[in-house]
Amino acid sequence: MGPLVAPLVYCCPAMANSNQHHLLVPIRPAQITWRDGQPYSEQFGDVFFSRHNGWREAEYVFLQGNRLPERWRSLAGGTFVLAETGFGGGLNFMSACRHWLASTGPQCTLHYYAVEKHPWSVTDIRCLQRLFHQMVPAGGGGMPSDELMAALVDAYPPLTPGFHRLSLFGGRVLLTLAFADIEHWLDDIHIRAEAWFLDGFAPGRNPAMWSGAVLAGLARNTAPGGTASTFTAAGDVRRGLQAAGFKVVKTPGYGPKRDMLSAVFHDNVPMGPYPGSQKPWYMGTPDTARGKTVAVVGAGLSGAFTAEALARRGWQVTVIERHARAAQEASGNEIGVIFSKLSAFTGRDYAFYAHSYLHAIRQLPDLLPRDEHWQPCGVLQLAFDDKERRRQQQVIDSGVWPPEVVCYQEAAEAGNRAGVSLPVGGLFFNGAGWLSPRRVCEYLLARHSSVQLLNNTEVLRLEPDSGAWRILTADGKMVTHSDVVVLATAADTVRFEPTAFLPLSRIRGQVTPVPATTRSSRLGPVLCYDGYITPAVAGWHGVGATFSHRDSEAAARVDDDHENLNLLQDRVPCLYEALQVPQPGMFKHPVGRAAFRCHTPDYLPVVGPVPEVEAFNRQYAPLSKGQLKRPYEAGSYLRGLYVNTAHGSRGVTTTPLCAEMIAAYICGEPQPVGETMRQALHPARFVIRALTRNK
Ligand code: SAM
């Protein structure tokens, strides 16, 4: 069952402004000491797992306690959603992976959703290795402990707050690990877990992990018939689980523990009110996981990443493109920058851009060959004026972003790293770099034989047809028929009748290619200021980019090339001098490439299902009278129609994550982001805003 299959009625939350900006709170990592070779939490005064044998405990209490080996052996395909409270050093996770890999085939995906307030560092996890080696039985057909550990260490994210979607074992396990407090996490997720590992230290040591609110939150996120197990048999936990709707049994515990608990969720328990973060209008979605054919309209970055994400999940994908080749509009640029300005503050936009950036640099190595298509050469963000210097100082002082993500470098050090002399220092982003949108689109569309590209085909009409869609040209000629449609058509999305309501605008941008010289070829990372220059790739630098609002001129302009180069000259004079650009007046003819980026008024992309606008206006009309508190039903959506657009100038960074979101919607999988972020990108936000502004 999908994550968005909603209960019928919701209590309407207050319309809190979740985009208010506060200082971000840095993560406090686990404080671990090793006692007799076993990890011990100084924060909670408790052991992480049984001193007896943590691995055997995981198998007994959590795997068998949820009957996972037998449930998994009978899985023919599809996904299984397993969730954990308290990820710790990942011992339970590795144990689950070992069984999953041994008992299911490559067509099955394990979604492991876990929360951890005080994450272990990779160094701490590596310290588990020897103990792990002693505990895990060799042979028996399971993956050796070293390989399991290597996979976790390899995928393990930087210790930054929020969600991290990690792919392990060739995508057979998708780990969505949130570094957050459990209460916030439960308020911000909407999953249907089929099993829970409840492992948050002994209730006496950590009551916050077992409170009534937490157990009700678990129940809200459990599929009917879903199970839970825990090492504790404490009466409060047993009663709390029962009150939340679980049928609980006491069974013999592991090692010296007399009892433990196993539980099954009743499917007839009325769901409690949803937390304020989950708004009824964003909760409904049609069940589309029945089909297996999808048409993706638009072969730019958004369409290409979406097609790839769906083909990877076994869908037959037809990509429809009006031009003769893929990537002919904004995604036709030779080069773009994978990068996000990080912030010291909370806020939906900052959070999304940081999250999509971290996701992109983690996912791209799995998806794309290096060098020709992308290069994680690093990005130096220059502190080019006082305001930017202060902002960068705040980012570092916040303590939120660890040095492996970003660090500050003075001018001399930054210049050494850059390979060219720099007038100022700035933030260095490890793992960031450049990506060639045009080549990446072509590569992704050719990656799976189940993706077919229809070029020279402009479609503009969509007609529902027995639960599927007929996709037609403007004059009514049918091009294809598919279960699901994803519009990845930038600002042209408004030309389709069901998405005409989206407030999309176009901002013109021009990038100027400049031939590299011997001196300029020394540039290692991308340099960002209020423009950017990429290192030499195939003998060329890209210098960008202009921003012109309300400007519809499609042809490149000499003035815009000058603007790009003048800015480079001003910000990085040494590099400008190293380039051989004609002086003065520079170019007689434009050399750049102009294109139109698609934006929304809030500068966030539009990603998700398409609302039935008239039904919304009727259903939520009381919002315009300020009636926020009454119970509303879930929103009405057009079955099988999705949109993935408005990536502005940041599609290089945002489209990998948004493609995973679209695939999660369509396949009924848990989302790679929290509810707050999902809703911030939701297409229906504009309909709701229009209603509430009327009030
Ligand atoms: N399951 C882990 C493993 O397999 O290695 C061991 C988990 S340990 C017993 C409990 C974990 O819960 C700790 O890592 C602790 O930091 C985490 N935790 C405690 N309170 C929490 C809270 N309020 N929110 C999220 N995690 C919490």
Side-chain angles (χ1 to χ4, degrees):
M1 183 173 294
L4 293 173
V5 180
L8 274 179
V9 174
Y10 296 80
C11 287
C12 179
M15 299 282 288
N17 177 4
S18 55
N19 211 23
Q20 279 166 356
H21 295 184
H22 304 286
L23 262 183
L24 281 166
V25 180
I27 275 182
R28 284 170 46 223
Q31 285 169 11
I32 300 166
T33 49
W34 291 79
R35 300 189 177 177
D36 307 324
Q38 301 277 341
Y40 179 86
S41 166
E42 292 295 343
Q43 273 129 337
F44 294 94
D46 200 357
V47 288
F48 279 86
F49 32 76
S50 165
R51 287 197 181 87
H52 233 63
N53 183 323
W55 181 266
R56 290 247 178 262
E57 179 188 43
E59 292 195 319
Y60 179 83
V61 174
F62 296 109
L63 283 140
Q64 286 175 34
N66 282 289
R67 294 183 297 100
L68 293 182
E70 71 186 79
R71 288 163 79 186
W72 288 351
R73 265 196 302 277
S74 57
L75 267 188
T79 56
F80 189 95
V81 183
L82 172 56
E84 178 171 36
T85 57
F87 185 80
L91 196 70
N92 293 341
F93 170 69
M94 287 186 273
S95 163
C97 288
R98 191 171 196 249
H99 277 268
W100 177 261
L101 296 172
S103 42
T104 63
Q107 70 287 2
C108 299
T109 307
L110 174 65
H111 272 276
Y112 198 99
Y113 235 65
V115 64
E116 178 51 63
K117 184 176 183 177
H118 301 295
W120 288 36
S121 65
V122 173
T123 318
D124 288 331
I125 292 180
R126 281 209 184 94
C127 291
L128 263 185
Q129 181 111 25
R130 212 157 56 90
L131 181 64
F132 197 34
H133 199 68
Q134 290 161 6
M135 297 189 297
V136 181
M143 183 173 276
S145 62
D146 290 355
E147 279 180 47
L148 288 165
M149 168 80 69
L152 177 59
V153 165
D154 217 41
Y156 203 68
L159 304 196
T160 58
F163 287 66
H164 302 269
R165 164 63 64 85
L166 315 163
S167 171
L168 293 91
F169 310 110
R172 288 179 67 188
V173 176
L174 294 178
L175 167 61
T176 310
L177 179 55
F179 294 147
D181 182 85
I182 189 158
E183 281 210 37
H184 295 146
W185 179 69
L186 286 169
D187 277 0
D188 200 31
I189 63 171
H190 191 158
I191 59 169
R192 288 284 171 263
E194 289 157 272
W196 282 96
F197 293 174
L198 307 184
D199 195 16
F201 287 129
R205 312 247 172 197
N206 188 19
M209 204 69 167
W210 307 93
S211 68
V214 163
L215 299 177
L218 298 181
R220 231 178 16 243
N221 284 288
T222 305
T227 60
S229 69
T230 174
F231 60 90
T232 177
D236 284 350
V237 173
R238 183 166 47 81
R239 285 185 290 277
L241 282 168
Q242 281 165 341
F246 287 88
K247 193 170 160 205
V248 188
V249 289
K250 231 192 233 181
T251 55
Y254 175 76
K257 282 203 178 340
R258 204 176 52 178
D259 300 309
M260 59 167 271
L261 301 178
S262 280
V264 181
F265 189 59
H266 300 273
D267 25 12
N268 57 355
V269 173
M271 292 205 186
Y274 270 71
S277 58
Q278 297 184 357
K279 304 190 170 60
W281 30 92
Y282 298 131
M283 300 314 278
T285 194
D287 167 21
T288 54
R290 297 166 311 132
K292 269 294 173 193
T293 58
V294 56
V296 176
V297 187
L301 279 174
S302 164
F305 273 107
T306 303
E308 197 286 329
L310 286 162
R312 202 173 347 111
R313 287 163 170 84
W315 286 66
Q316 285 292 328
V317 188
T318 305
V319 179
I320 304 170
E321 169 54 55
R322 64 179 163 187
H323 295 293
R325 299 178 60 177
Q328 293 303 294
E329 301 195 14
S331 301
N333 284 345
E334 273 309 308
I335 206 149
V337 185
I338 314 160
F339 165 69
S340 168
K341 269 187 167 184
L342 298 178
S343 172
F345 296 94
T346 60
R348 284 180 299 221
D349 39 2
Y350 295 138
F352 168 70
Y353 286 109
H355 188 76
S356 59
Y357 163 68
L358 293 172
H359 181 89
I361 62 175
R362 198 163 42 237
Q363 195 191 20
L364 291 179
D366 292 343
L367 284 185
L368 302 172
R370 274 201 193 183
D371 299 337
E372 224 187 284
H373 298 83
W374 77 293
Q375 182 60 255
C377 55
V379 168
L380 249 170
Q381 187 186 19
L382 300 178
F384 57 86
D385 64 13
D386 284 345
K387 189 169 163 220
E388 179 59 19
R389 218 183 335 272
R390 277 197 302 278
R391 203 193 63 77
Q392 295 194 358
Q393 189 69 53
Q394 281 175 334
V395 169
I396 295 300
D397 290 349
S398 72
V400 169
W401 307 105
E404 70 266 30
V405 174
V406 68
C407 58
Y408 183 77
Q409 299 192 324
E410 297 293 349
E413 194 188 352
N416 282 342
R417 186 184 286 273
V420 296
S421 158
L422 296 172
V424 291
L427 296 180
F428 181 71
F429 291 73
N430 210 2
W434 59 261
L435 176 151
S436 168
R438 182 182 61 76
R439 274 172 270 166
V440 165
C441 289
E442 286 169 359
Y443 176 83
L444 290 174
L445 293 170
R447 192 166 188 244
H448 299 272
S449 57
S450 52
V451 176
Q452 187 205 5
L453 176 60
L454 290 184
N455 286 321
N456 293 315
T457 309
E458 183 167 51
V459 291
L460 281 176
R461 280 172 53 188
L462 304 170
E463 288 178 0
D465 179 20
S466 338
W469 291 95
R470 285 154 46 86
I471 302 155
L472 309 105
T473 59
D475 54 6
K477 196 168 135 254
M478 186 167 105
V479 169
T480 189
H481 184 273
S482 63
D483 299 308
V484 175
V485 178
V486 183
L487 298 177
T489 35
D492 284 320
T493 306
V494 295
R495 297 174 71 199
F496 292 84
E497 194 267 326
T499 43
F501 71 93
L502 290 170
L504 304 178
S505 59
R506 298 178 355 139
I507 301 183
R508 186 184 182 283
Q510 185 163 319
V511 181
T512 304
V514 181
T517 62
T518 312
R519 271 174 64 208
S520 76
S521 296
R522 292 194 202 119
L523 177 65
V526 176
L527 298 183
C528 285
Y529 32 93
D530 36 357
Y532 66 84
I533 177 166
T534 55
V537 179
W540 292 86
H541 299 277
V543 183
T546 59
F547 268 83
S548 339
H549 295 260
R550 284 181 281 283
D551 178 346
S552 57
E553 189 174 344
R557 294 190 292 244
V558 166
D559 283 355
D560 287 35
D561 288 330
H562 287 171
E563 188 182 323
N564 283 332
L565 291 166
N566 286 337
L567 192 59
L568 173 67
Q569 182 177 29
D570 199 43
R571 301 301 187 212
V572 205
C574 261
L575 187 56
Y576 179 83
E577 278 156 28
L579 294 166
Q580 285 165 0
V581 282
Q583 297 259 9
M586 298 189 279
F587 301 118
K588 297 232 168 344
H589 306 287
V591 294
R593 182 177 188 279
F596 295 94
R597 315 165 179 110
C598 170
H599 282 273
T600 55
D602 60 17
Y603 287 90
L604 284 171
V606 183
V607 182
V610 176
E612 292 191 60
V613 177
E614 280 182 19
F616 255 62
N617 285 336
R618 276 195 309 277
Q619 206 175 339
Y620 302 123
L623 289 180
S624 60
K625 301 195 184 83
Q627 295 179 14
L628 304 174
K629 297 264 173 184
R630 57 193 267 171
Y632 288 100
E633 290 188 2
S636 308
Y637 288 87
L638 288 163
R639 174 185 286 270
L641 182 60
Y642 295 85
V643 60
N644 184 3
T645 191
H647 294 274
S649 56
R650 308 188 227 195
V652 163
T653 310
T654 55
T655 47
L657 176 67
C658 294
E660 288 300 307
M661 289 179 66
I662 291 285
Y665 272 117
I666 293 175
C667 302
E669 295 175 12
Q671 284 287 340
V673 299
E675 280 297 284
T676 317
M677 202 171 285
R678 182 183 76 81
Q679 294 172 12
L681 307 192
H682 204 289
R685 69 189 191 267
F686 302 107
V687 187
I688 293 298
R689 273 178 210 164
L691 279 168
T692 50
R693 277 179 196 151
N694 248 350
K695 87 181 170 204

